[in-house]
Amino acid sequence: MKNVVVLGSTGSIGESTLRVAQALPDQFRLVGLAVHSHTERLLEQVRAFGVEHVAVTDREAAERCAAQLPAGVTLHAGPEGLVALATLAQADIVLCAVVGLAGLPPVLAALEQGTDVALATKEVLVGAGQRVMETCARTGARILPVDSEHSGVFQCLAGRGDDAAALRRIILTASGGPFRDRPDIDFATVSPAEALAHPTWQMGPKVTIDSATLMNKGLELIEAHWLFAVPFDRLEVLVHPQSIVHALVEFEDGNSVAHMSQPDMRFAIQYALTWPERCDGGLPGLDLHALGALTFEAPDRRRFPCLDLACAAGAAGGTAPAVLNGVNEVAVARFLAGEIPFTMIWKLVESALAHHKRVDDPDLDAIMAADQWARSFAHEEI
Ligand code: MG
């Protein structure tokens, strides 16, 4: 039985995590749930799972829900509530699925005291990969990836020991998003609704837009660089519209191993939580006969410039990835609000990276400052 803390329990990944926990009641006990402000849903989750600790980062929302919590439940209010939950003595693993760099302090706090982290929040490794991996190396705590591609790589490498050193390249697949097979479309006129119509994955709006621009894959390359200690010239992207093969690793002898599953985040979540064991959580296998064909193509880097922008920021290192991420987050939000065209997302990212004065080997303050600078830059440019 593992005691699990879920940061971001009402988001898409959080809800999927609760479904995994529900399917395996003998494996997991939920001991803490954190949300930003969705307290109505939080209260339902608390009652359903008998959780003892909750955190609500929005203080007004925390005040509103305080009186409605069942007796015996401890409420941690404000952003520091995430750290309080991440460092609960009884937690065996912390699943972090909060939005943005807000996930960084609790992830570092958990790792610092040796608690493993199942990580879904991309910004943590994108913004502070070096710091996070150094902390893991020092304390022995692990990052278990909660993303289909990185879970795929992790599973391809699992138990291979020295094989990992003989790695030639890692390939992450991308669905290609809703605009892959529409070369005629004018990106300047794309609406948020069109960009949100993802062909294979059901996800939150931010990551769905990132999938439409391929920024999501760019952020995932930066994560893979840190997670698997692989330089950018050995990381590749392959467009695979069926989203069945999530990752491939190729070894020095030319042999490749691929990871496949249905496109459902519960596969990655369950593996991160049960690792190093596997168990039957009721998730279905593949029917390749019914699928018939799996297809692959190279990404169109001219139509989707976010891929190269992310690789360049990742290779530059220092505070560049934090700037890439911060400006992209603002741009996506303003696009979803109908305030800027789709094309302005990558124009803003490119401009911010060109104007940013990079800090190498940044500490946490420098990373946060770069993120703030990027956000202000984006708003001012718009
Ligand atoms: Mg992914």
Side-chain angles (χ1 to χ4, degrees):
M1 181 74 95
K2 279 186 192 171
N3 288 335
V4 181
V5 166
V6 183
L7 308 179
S9 66
T10 56
S12 172
I13 299 281
E15 292 284 4
S16 290
T17 303
L18 267 54
R19 288 174 69 196
V20 167
Q22 203 159 28
L24 292 163
D26 301 336
Q27 298 272 340
F28 307 120
R29 195 162 69 96
L30 296 180
V31 294
L33 299 176
V35 303
H36 177 58
S37 59
H38 287 178
T39 52
E40 271 177 39
R41 180 65 190 133
L42 173 69
L43 287 165
E44 290 172 5
Q45 294 175 339
V46 166
R47 289 186 206 106
F49 289 92
V51 176
E52 296 146 20
H53 291 267
V54 298
V56 179
T57 56
D58 183 89
R59 289 186 196 279
E60 276 180 31
E63 261 177 52
R64 279 201 309 274
C65 92
Q68 298 171 65
L69 282 168
V73 177
T74 307
L75 170 67
H76 306 264
E80 58 272 30
L82 293 176
V83 173
L85 254 61
T87 53
L88 281 176
Q90 64 267 46
D92 295 312
I93 187 163
V94 175
L95 186 137
C96 180
V98 301
V99 176
L101 279 174
L104 188 51
V107 165
L108 284 174
L111 295 173
E112 199 62 58
Q113 63 171 40
T115 305
D116 290 348
V117 173
L119 183 63
T121 305
K122 290 196 163 70
E123 294 83 353
V124 169
L125 283 174
V126 169
Q130 187 165 354
R131 174 59 59 99
V132 169
M133 299 318 287
E134 278 169 4
T135 307
C136 288
R138 183 159 41 76
T139 66
R142 293 179 192 84
I143 295 279
L144 298 152
V146 178
D147 199 342
S148 53
E149 297 79 3
H150 305 87
S151 177
V153 174
F154 186 57
Q155 294 185 55
C156 288
L157 294 174
R160 284 173 191 275
D162 290 344
D163 274 12
L167 209 55
R168 189 186 279 165
R169 55 183 184 145
I170 287 177
I171 302 165
L172 307 183
T173 64
S175 69
F179 306 128
R180 175 190 64 86
D181 56 356
R182 295 179 61 189
D184 53 311
I185 203 163
D186 179 3
F187 279 156
T189 64
V190 158
S191 71
E194 288 173 285
L196 284 170
H198 197 276
T200 46
W201 288 98
Q202 291 291 321
M203 305 176 289
K206 160 68 166 57
V207 61
T208 305
I209 299 302
D210 283 348
S211 294
T213 62
L214 290 197
M215 181 59 94
N216 184 54
K217 211 50 53 180
L219 297 175
E220 289 181 357
L221 288 174
I222 299 173
E223 286 185 283
H225 163 73
W226 290 114
L227 274 173
F228 306 112
V230 172
F232 283 89
D233 60 2
R234 292 183 182 211
L235 291 169
E236 290 174 32
V237 172
L238 193 58
V239 173
H240 168 47
Q242 297 84 16
S243 300
I244 298 296
V245 176
H246 304 298
L248 301 97
V249 300
E250 184 182 296
F251 298 102
E252 272 178 356
D253 60 2
N255 283 297
S256 291
V257 178
H259 169 266
M260 297 192 277
S261 76
Q262 292 199 9
D264 184 323
M265 286 308 298
R266 287 177 297 164
F267 290 90
I269 292 166
Q270 184 180 310
Y271 187 69
L273 295 181
T274 63
W275 181 89
E277 312 291 332
R278 290 184 186 273
C279 63
D280 182 0
L283 295 176
L286 281 175
D287 187 350
L288 290 175
H289 180 260
L291 279 161
L294 301 177
T295 61
F296 302 91
E297 58 197 68
D300 187 338
R301 290 175 177 266
R302 191 187 49 81
R303 286 183 74 216
F304 300 100
C306 286
L307 209 46
D308 283 340
L309 288 170
C311 286
T319 46
V323 167
L324 171 95
N325 174 72
V327 79
N328 179 61
E329 217 170 286
V330 169
V332 169
R334 301 287 294 258
F335 167 70
L336 282 170
E339 294 168 350
I340 63 168
F342 191 60
T343 47
M344 199 164 169
I345 296 175
W346 52 86
K347 285 178 186 158
L348 282 169
V349 171
E350 187 173 19
S351 178
L353 287 171
H355 284 85
H356 175 58
K357 289 185 175 58
R358 196 179 73 239
V359 177
D360 289 322
D361 206 4
D363 58 15
L364 283 193
D365 289 343
I367 292 164
M368 294 304 200
D371 175 69
Q372 278 309 316
W373 176 87
R375 286 164 196 279
S376 309
F377 178 89
H379 285 302
E380 276 167 31
E381 290 286 299
I382 292 167

